[in-house]
Amino acid sequence: MNATSPAATAVATDQASALTAEDRCDRCGARAVTRAVLANGLDLLFCGHHLREYEDAIKAKDITLIS
Ligand SMILES: [Zn+2]
């Protein structure tokens, strides 16, 4: 059984992962699958290809990935 509360899931979805078909990769314009939130509060959107390309650089910095 999954004990995740529906309320907690709704809050997380609301604030964090509201990526839609309108959200586009900042590098190539493909549909974004992940939002990278930088330590300074800026965020970048990445498609699957560019997420893989920048994954190592992202992991080396204080960047939060939201997908
Ligand atoms: Zn891209």
Side-chain angles (χ1 to χ4, degrees):
M1 296 292 284
N2 189 338
T4 303
S5 119
T9 303
V11 170
T13 301
D14 244 20
Q15 295 189 342
S17 105
L19 289 178
T20 70
E22 303 288 303
D23 291 303
R24 295 289 157 177
C25 174
D26 284 317
R27 304 302 297 182
C28 71
R31 181 174 177 173
V33 297
T34 298
R35 184 186 308 273
V37 182
L38 283 61
N40 63 8
L42 295 177
D43 64 352
L44 295 168
L45 299 177
F46 292 115
C47 67
H49 287 118
H50 282 108
L51 175 61
R52 289 181 68 88
E53 187 172 330
Y54 290 100
E55 205 166 24
D56 289 343
I58 289 169
K59 285 178 179 171
K61 297 178 188 294
D62 183 18
I63 295 175
T64 303
L65 289 181
I66 300 169
S67 55

